[in-house]
Amino acid sequence: MSQTAEFHGDLVTSQRNIYTPSTFARESLLHLQEAGSLRAAKPHTSSRSGLSSYLFFLVVSGSGSLQVSGQSYLLREGDCVFLDCTNPYSHTTSRNLWELKWVHFDGKLMPGIYRKFLERSAGPVFHPASSAGMEHFATLLDEIYHLSLSDCYTRDMKLNEALSSLLSRIMEEAWNPEGRQLRENKAVSSGAAALESSIADVRLYLDEHYAEALSLDLLSEKFHFNKYYLMRRFRQQYGTTIGSYLIHARIGAAKKLLRFSDVTLEEAGARVGIRDANYFSRIFKKVEGITPSQYRRLW
């Protein structure tokens, strides 16, 4: 049984399928509870607690933040979040309004699986190692959504298989032995908490100032870190280099300009901080697999 809903409101436009698994599925399988997608229409916060569910969501575009277990995480395009929803959590879209794909699911073995995920990861948030990894998650979430709408008599078995594939991919992409070791060795102190906050501040600064002329020396001076230490800590915390993060932030902003404005390709590059038109085209193709002009024609 399922209930499909499309919603167009002041805060979000969403499409979701609220799924009712069979008794057999609830007792024996990984089983779906809800799948869908949304696009934020205004900045807002969503809060939940006490749900007998596990939530996985992908930030398809835009940015925001997550609050869970007394920790705050900045979220950007491509970030993945995996949560045990029995614990309170909330997430907030920034002014760079986000689009999400998500799935709620459960299963009798999920508590143990989630504990293993936390052992392997550096926390509930991770970023795929490549754009192909992000696309793989998007494809899996779409597959689960469309399976939930099918009338196949083995639908619950197919959903179990798709959810298992999703969990396998989560375990692969979230593996972060450096972050785990750092977490185990870190003393619980206000100084350590302030340090993590400072690294998060660097990321927020990149999100807000990506179009400016930025350098490692500038960031090091502004946030009072040795630049080599800053490079290492940023990669440990977010799974990518500062340079790669900045490039993806710029390309993400350029994609919006190409889709939703009529600026020239050169102007799009300049507005996001890449003023060499040839370099903009090359780096765009490296990240997206197609040129800016091809991307504009597709959309």
Side-chain angles (χ1 to χ4, degrees):
M1 295 288 291
S2 62
Q3 180 179 353
T4 307
E6 291 189 14
F7 176 77
H8 303 272
D10 291 338
L11 298 180
V12 298
T13 296
S14 67
Q15 185 174 34
R16 67 182 65 202
N17 188 25
I18 302 171
Y19 188 79
T20 304
S22 66
T23 301
F24 165 69
R26 287 196 300 271
E27 292 178 350
S28 306
L29 304 175
L30 291 170
H31 53 273
L32 180 68
Q33 297 166 322
E34 181 178 303
S37 60
L38 68 81
R39 182 183 294 275
K42 291 181 180 178
H44 68 280
T45 297
S46 297
S47 302
R48 299 285 188 276
S49 64
L51 297 178
S52 181
S53 178
Y54 293 84
L55 168 65
F56 175 81
F57 71 82
L58 168 69
V59 181
V60 179
S61 63
S63 62
S65 62
L66 169 74
Q67 293 75 43
V68 60
S69 301
Q71 297 289 323
S72 294
Y73 302 86
L74 296 175
L75 302 178
R76 64 179 175 93
E77 180 177 330
D79 278 347
C80 299
V81 177
F82 188 26
L83 297 172
D84 176 355
C85 298
T86 57
N87 301 313
Y89 69 92
S90 64
H91 48 71
T92 304
T93 181
S94 71
R95 287 174 295 179
N96 181 17
L97 299 172
W98 63 17
E99 179 183 354
L100 308 179
K101 292 180 184 287
W102 81 86
V103 59
H104 276 280
F105 63 102
D106 202 1
K108 288 191 173 180
L109 299 179
M110 277 306 302
I113 292 172
Y114 193 74
R115 284 194 298 271
K116 177 59 68 174
F117 162 76
L118 291 179
E119 289 175 10
R120 294 176 62 90
S121 71
V125 179
F126 62 93
H127 193 88
S130 66
S131 58
M134 174 183 169
E135 291 168 4
H136 195 152
F137 278 119
T139 299
L140 280 170
L141 292 170
D142 287 341
E143 178 187 353
I144 291 168
Y145 177 76
H146 291 299
L147 270 174
S148 74
L149 297 175
S150 75
D151 57 2
C152 175
Y153 72 94
T154 58
R155 179 173 55 185
D156 280 330
M157 293 296 296
K158 291 182 181 297
L159 285 168
N160 173 75
E161 182 179 0
L163 290 168
S164 294
S165 296
L166 176 64
L167 286 170
S168 294
R169 191 71 185 189
I170 290 170
M171 291 296 194
E172 291 173 7
E173 292 283 2
W175 173 234
N176 188 342
E178 293 85 2
R180 178 172 179 263
Q181 189 65 43
L182 179 68
R183 193 169 66 250
E184 289 174 348
N185 293 341
K186 185 176 62 179
V188 180
S189 67
S190 59
L195 179 60
E196 289 204 358
S197 176
S198 295
I199 298 296
D201 289 341
V202 174
R203 183 181 179 183
L204 180 60
Y205 188 83
L206 294 174
D207 287 337
E208 295 180 346
H209 298 270
Y210 60 82
E212 300 174 12
L214 300 177
S215 69
L216 190 59
D217 288 332
L218 182 150
L219 295 172
S220 176
E221 181 178 353
K222 181 174 181 62
F223 292 97
H224 310 292
F225 283 117
N226 174 280
K227 65 180 180 181
Y228 301 108
Y229 181 75
L230 174 59
M231 291 167 59
R232 178 166 59 85
R233 282 302 311 274
F234 192 95
R235 181 161 192 145
Q236 285 176 337
Q237 191 155 330
Y238 296 115
T240 188
T241 66
I242 291 174
S244 179
Y245 186 94
L246 180 59
I247 286 170
H248 281 79
R250 286 172 168 170
I251 296 303
K255 286 162 61 178
K256 291 182 175 66
L257 289 171
L258 294 172
R259 286 183 61 180
F260 303 118
S261 78
D262 58 359
V263 300
T264 65
L265 302 185
E266 293 80 2
E267 178 66 14
R271 287 194 187 184
V272 302
I274 307 176
R275 289 164 179 79
D276 183 317
N278 291 327
Y279 178 67
F280 172 59
S281 182
R282 289 199 306 273
I283 202 68
F284 191 100
K285 185 172 183 179
K286 182 178 180 180
V287 172
E288 293 296 321
I290 56 176
T291 66
S293 57
Q294 288 171 328
Y295 179 85
R296 171 167 270 174
R297 286 196 295 270
L298 282 174
W299 291 93

